[in-house]
Amino acid sequence: MAYPGRLHGALMAGERIRVTGIVQGVGFRPTVWRLAHDCGIRGQVWNDAPGVLIHAWGDSRSLQDFVRRLEDEQPPLARIEQVIRETLSEQEIGPADFQITTSEEGEVHTSVAADAATCPECLAEVLDPTNRRYRYPFTNCTHCGPRLSIISSIPYDRAGTSMAVFPMCSRCRAEYENPADRRFHAQPNACADCGPRVWLEKANGEAVADGDHIDAIETAARLIREGRIVAIKGIGGIHLACDAGNEEAVNRLRQRKHRYHKAFALMAADTGMISRYAEVAEEEAGLLLSRAAPIVVLQRSGVPLPRSVAPGQATLGFMLPYTPLHHLLMQNMTRPIVLTSGNRSDEPQTISNQAALQRLGQIADYYLLHDRDIVNRVDDSVLRMADKQPRYLRRARGYAPQPILLPDSFASGPGILAMGGELKNTFCLLQGGRAVLSQHMGDLEDAQTYQDYRHNLQLYRQLFDFRPGAVVVDKHPDYLSTSLGRCIAAEKGVPLIEVQHHHAHISACMAEHGLPLDTKKVLGVAMDGLGFG
């Protein structure tokens, strides 16, 4: 039926509200639903290809308040890029209340959220003995948990993730279908009755039991305290862990991993534990506690850790637990652990159980594994503060594939696929004034890294419905990224643009500082050892 001309005694208006950005799979529609009820708005909300679409009816003040609160109270993992409001015609009709309706047919191509650290609400459940998710290491909701690391196809729903093999139990299904629940349409939603499981085994594949009760995480923590090296499967990859205060264990890990000089990453239970070993300013604590939960490079201070943790360095790279599994592990640790990528030096991080057992057999003494597949390798991000601003040393888990918004002058023009260099590779999709950077992948001269690179190129082009109007490559003719870029440009019949390596560094620096395309010439100094020309 058509709505009456007045609502609550005030003149009624109808609006079509288009919201773009990271607004799918992050609890955005339930937030819209809740705010609409709070503001007395009638209508509906649904996902479609560009993002989220809302049809809303109410008096002008209620509509204004609704949109304002939508921008102010968006879910933690959401990122609104644009809100476009249009008046609906008087002939438009809608429901008598506010509803979440079925998504429009067709593939969804909006931004995919990054993997996010455990939210306070989920952590509280994991630590609550009366909660049904007590000590469940895969607890998550729409505010936290795996995203990029588990997705294999679009649209982003459970069937297109590695959670497809875990049918939800009745209680999880009820949460998933309830718009008032924070797990409404949380695709990785699970519990101990229906979700992934974790186990501990020896390097020879033998299961490890601790008395009459198998508690894999507690036993793993005890083994680390005893000086053992344990491979631990996380969100985006498998790590190698040992007691950071045990110099013999750290040196043994270095010898087995063939990583003789580079600093190891560390995990601490909380910022209080970190502050015993390093200086933690307010801004650095904010980074550590953020939903991205990166490794943050900090100045050494206080209680010394073995020099073998970071040889010759005056700094230490710390992170905090970012999954329930890591929180439960660190509950049983009195000092930090080394948590470095599960690989031999210069190889990509291991992500599958089988590969871990094969490739880490001469490194790890034990394996803490689980049966939720990691679809996409996502290394830990590394940042440090400089001039009170966070600077990315490695942009991956927690940040990729979140788009970087560029100045308005970048909005027009064809989509550009930038293939990246040979070393420490990332690639970039540039479209509509947004730069989508892939996660850090590493050196393409390694066959497994190059395979990972090609996998991610295909995934990102699918996730973002990206059709390049031009392909940009490094001028160096022998780079694998350059050779592949030439093939893609020829296959798609689009221009190939060659860019000198050091020029690209300066251009990236300009983009980082938000300079528009019509900026006057700048003088840039690139202190880099490689580059053709």
Side-chain angles (χ1 to χ4, degrees):
M1 68 175 185
Y3 290 131
R6 289 180 174 270
L7 188 68
H8 304 306
L11 288 173
M12 187 190 67
E15 288 193 7
R16 180 182 187 270
I17 304 169
R18 155 71 61 207
V19 188
T20 62
I22 302 175
V23 290
Q24 294 187 13
V26 293
F28 196 83
R29 288 177 300 159
T31 298
V32 173
W33 180 86
R34 175 179 60 83
L35 294 177
H37 282 83
D38 285 353
C39 297
I41 300 295
R42 298 175 178 178
Q44 59 257 101
V45 58
W46 65 93
N47 288 337
D48 65 1
V52 164
L53 192 58
I54 306 165
H55 282 187
W57 283 266
D59 63 76
S60 59
R61 175 178 289 184
S62 296
L63 287 169
Q64 196 68 26
D65 187 43
F66 171 66
V67 174
R68 178 189 59 78
R69 291 185 62 184
L70 196 61
E71 294 177 319
D72 292 343
E73 301 177 31
Q74 57 188 285
L77 300 187
R79 180 177 168 182
I80 294 176
E81 293 180 4
Q82 195 174 31
V83 177
I84 302 172
R85 302 170 63 180
E86 299 174 345
T87 301
L88 287 170
S89 68
E90 293 183 1
Q91 286 74 34
E92 293 277 356
I93 61 174
D97 55 6
F98 196 90
Q99 302 172 354
I100 296 175
T101 61
T102 305
S103 301
E104 286 190 350
E105 292 184 3
E107 294 182 336
V108 176
H109 300 289
T110 58
S111 297
V112 176
D115 300 293
T118 307
C119 69
E121 293 83 2
C122 282
L123 181 58
E125 292 174 345
V126 171
L127 301 180
D128 180 2
T130 66
N131 192 279
R132 75 185 189 92
R133 288 188 171 87
Y134 177 57
R135 297 188 62 79
Y136 183 58
F138 305 98
T139 300
N140 67 85
C141 67
T142 53
H143 301 163
C144 66
R147 294 294 190 279
L148 175 63
S149 60
I150 63 170
I151 191 170
S152 57
S153 64
I154 49 173
Y156 174 63
D157 56 29
R158 198 177 183 97
T161 74
S162 56
M163 288 297 296
V165 298
F166 300 102
M168 280 182 275
C169 65
S170 59
R171 288 191 289 181
C172 286
R173 173 63 63 180
E175 295 168 336
Y176 182 87
E177 295 176 349
N178 180 6
D181 196 289
R182 78 174 195 281
R183 292 191 170 95
F184 177 74
H185 282 202
Q187 303 306 337
N189 188 31
C191 71
D193 293 334
C194 63
R197 65 183 186 92
V198 64
W199 67 88
L200 183 70
E201 61 183 71
K202 295 180 181 179
N204 62 7
E206 180 184 343
V208 177
D210 188 17
D212 295 328
H213 175 68
I214 299 176
D215 190 327
I217 299 173
E218 280 191 3
T219 306
R222 175 176 57 79
L223 290 167
I224 292 171
R225 292 195 304 272
E226 292 174 356
R228 306 301 181 92
I229 297 170
V230 180
I232 300 174
K233 187 176 183 181
I235 277 189
I238 294 172
H239 292 87
L240 293 163
C242 72
D243 180 359
N246 184 329
E247 187 159 17
E248 190 277 331
V250 176
N251 280 323
R252 185 160 22 96
L253 177 56
R254 284 201 177 278
Q255 295 300 316
R256 292 182 182 182
K257 187 176 161 71
H258 303 305
R259 182 170 179 166
Y260 303 110
H261 305 295
K262 291 182 179 179
F264 279 146
L266 303 170
M267 177 174 280
D270 50 38
T271 55
M273 180 182 284
I274 295 176
S275 65
R276 299 205 294 266
Y277 305 93
E279 297 176 9
V280 187
E282 182 179 351
E283 297 87 353
E284 292 162 333
L287 282 177
L288 288 162
L289 293 165
S290 70
R291 295 189 182 274
I295 297 169
V296 180
V297 179
L298 304 168
Q299 198 71 25
R300 284 182 187 254
S301 70
V303 179
L305 285 171
R307 282 288 163 183
S308 54
V309 167
Q313 301 292 317
T315 56
L316 296 169
F318 270 104
M319 59 182 149
L320 294 177
Y322 54 86
T323 72
L325 187 152
H326 292 112
H327 280 284
L328 294 170
L329 181 80
M330 294 307 299
Q331 267 191 326
N332 296 285
M333 303 303 300
T334 58
R335 57 188 180 187
I337 63 171
V338 166
L339 199 68
T340 186
S341 57
N343 57 353
R344 292 186 182 273
S345 188
D346 298 325
E347 293 180 356
Q349 187 177 18
T350 304
I351 61 173
S352 75
N353 296 345
Q354 182 178 1
L357 294 170
Q358 292 172 347
R359 294 169 56 192
L360 305 180
Q362 302 303 313
I363 304 178
D365 301 312
Y366 293 86
Y367 296 83
L368 184 63
L369 302 175
H370 59 73
D371 54 357
R372 184 182 68 202
D373 287 345
I374 299 171
V375 179
N376 305 302
R377 179 183 291 106
V378 189
D379 286 320
D380 296 314
S381 294
V382 184
L383 284 80
R384 73 178 304 164
M385 295 297 297
D387 194 25
K388 296 188 176 181
Q389 293 294 322
R391 306 296 181 187
Y392 296 97
L393 304 182
R394 185 169 72 196
R395 188 177 185 273
R397 178 186 53 77
Y399 297 101
Q402 182 172 296
I404 297 171
L405 300 183
L406 300 174
D408 291 343
S409 53
F410 285 87
S412 60
I416 293 175
L417 171 60
M419 301 295 289
E422 181 89 346
L423 304 179
K424 297 180 175 62
N425 179 276
T426 61
F427 59 81
C428 179
L429 315 180
L430 178 64
Q431 183 170 256
R434 307 188 327 163
V436 178
L437 282 174
S438 73
Q439 66 270 35
H440 161 89
M441 281 167 286
D443 299 348
L444 299 186
E445 59 192 12
D446 180 89
Q448 294 179 60
T449 304
Y450 182 61
Q451 182 181 4
D452 199 35
Y453 171 69
R454 297 192 66 152
H455 163 83
N456 286 325
L457 272 169
Q458 181 177 355
L459 175 72
Y460 273 60
R461 288 168 66 184
Q462 181 194 19
L463 291 180
F464 293 93
D465 193 23
F466 185 80
R467 298 173 178 84
V471 178
V472 180
V473 298
D474 193 292
K475 269 190 176 181
H476 199 299
D478 295 330
Y479 281 1
L480 289 170
S481 55
T482 299
S483 300
L484 182 58
R486 286 199 191 100
C487 293
I488 293 174
E491 176 191 341
K492 300 298 180 183
V494 298
L496 179 75
I497 303 169
E498 296 183 343
V499 175
Q500 205 276 337
H501 189 85
H502 301 93
H503 175 96
H505 279 307
I506 303 304
S507 297
C509 190
M510 294 170 69
E512 179 187 1
H513 288 271
L515 299 183
L517 279 174
D518 58 358
T519 298
K520 295 179 180 179
K521 288 185 177 181
V522 302
L523 177 63
V525 180
M527 292 176 283
D528 185 25
L530 287 178
F532 187 80

